[in-house]
């Protein structure tokens, strides 16, 4: 079954300017500029049409199958997050949790360095891409900030993944079998706006 026509509108705040450029048959580049900076997103191979009309962004599909129709909200959400990013920014908070070996976390150059994870002598390095700011607040909090939600969330996920145990790497807690297992790691606990 095909959807003949469906459209959705997104209000653009007055502090934000949005420019939509068609760069291919099914490709768009959306550029948003606001108080916190400028960000762009390329949407490739999308059946969704995007246009700026009277201060609103209009997304529409016509003669769309179920899979193409489902992309309508995905594209709208992606552009909404882009606009929110340049207007209010994104902040992810992560908590450093350890039970026996105290983890040391610090930012050196363009990397986040995790030391003494489960007593390991080797350090774990996580790259920090341009456009993302990472701070260590106290001994137990990591703050990841930026205007591109996808990039900020990807850095937070990489930090979380860096302390994830895999396969036979999961030792029992302090030599005992059973129990909840090892809880040491870095876990995200909040998503906020900068302003």
């Amino acid at each position: 079954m095909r959807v003949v026509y469906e459209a959705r509108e997104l209000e653009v705040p007055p502090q934000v300017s949005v420019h939509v450029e068609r760069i291919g048959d099914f490709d768009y580049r959306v550029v948003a500029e606001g108080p916190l900076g400028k960000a762009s997103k390329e949407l490739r191979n999308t059946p969704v049409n995007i246009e700026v009309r009277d201060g609103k962004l209009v997304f529409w599909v016509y003669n769309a199958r179920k899979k193409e129709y489902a992309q309508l909200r995905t594209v709208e959400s992606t552009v909404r997050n882009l606009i929110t990013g340049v207007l209010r920014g994104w902040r992810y908070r992560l908590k450093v949790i350890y039970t026996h070996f105290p983890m040391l976390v610090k930012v050196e150059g363009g990397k986040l360095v995790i030391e003494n994870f489960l007593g390991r002598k080797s350090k774990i390095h996580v790259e920090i891409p341009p456009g993302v700011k990472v701070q260590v607040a106290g001994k137990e909090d990591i703050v990841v900030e930026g205007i591109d939600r996808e990039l900020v969330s990807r850095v937070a996920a990489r930090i979380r993944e860096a302390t994830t145990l895999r396969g036979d790497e999961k030792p029992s807690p302090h030599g005992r079998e059973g129990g909840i297992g090892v809880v040491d790691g870095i876990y995200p606990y909040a998503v906020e706006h900068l302003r």
Side-chain angles (χ1 to χ4, degrees), residues 71-136:
Q71 290 182 15
L72 181 63
R73 267 191 204 198
T74 302
V75 170
E76 181 197 2
S77 295
T78 301
V79 175
R80 177 182 281 118
N81 286 339
L82 186 71
I83 292 170
T84 305
V86 297
L87 184 63
R88 301 183 64 199
W90 294 99
R91 177 185 294 132
Y92 278 63
R93 292 185 180 275
L94 296 96
K95 183 69 78 177
V96 177
I97 296 175
Y98 53 85
T99 53
H100 185 67
F101 297 102
M103 257 191 283
L104 301 170
V105 182
K106 58 187 172 187
V107 177
E108 287 181 351
K111 295 179 182 179
L112 180 77
V113 180
I114 303 165
E115 296 178 13
N116 202 32
F117 174 62
L118 291 177
R120 294 180 184 167
K121 291 187 189 266
S122 60
K123 297 177 183 179
I124 301 171
H125 299 275
V126 179
E127 292 284 334
I128 302 170
V132 176
K133 182 180 171 187
V134 177
Q135 299 173 339
V136 178

Side-chain angles (χ1 to χ4, degrees), residues 15-17 32-39 82-83 85-87 147 195:
Q15 310 95 314
V16 178
S17 65
E33 192 167 357
L36 294 180
K38 184 177 182 180
L82 186 71
I83 292 170
V86 297
L87 184 63
I147 60 173
R195 338 163 67 177

Side-chain angles (χ1 to χ4, degrees), residues 48-61:
V48 179
N49 296 292
I50 308 168
E51 191 176 85
V52 179
R53 289 188 206 151
D54 303 325
K56 294 180 181 176
L57 279 166
V58 181
F59 308 88
W60 80 93
V61 291

Side-chain angles (χ1 to χ4, degrees), residues 37-51:
K38 184 177 182 180
S40 67
K41 183 73 60 189
E42 286 190 6
L43 303 164
R44 300 260 181 204
N45 299 322
T46 178
V48 179
N49 296 292
I50 308 168
E51 191 176 85

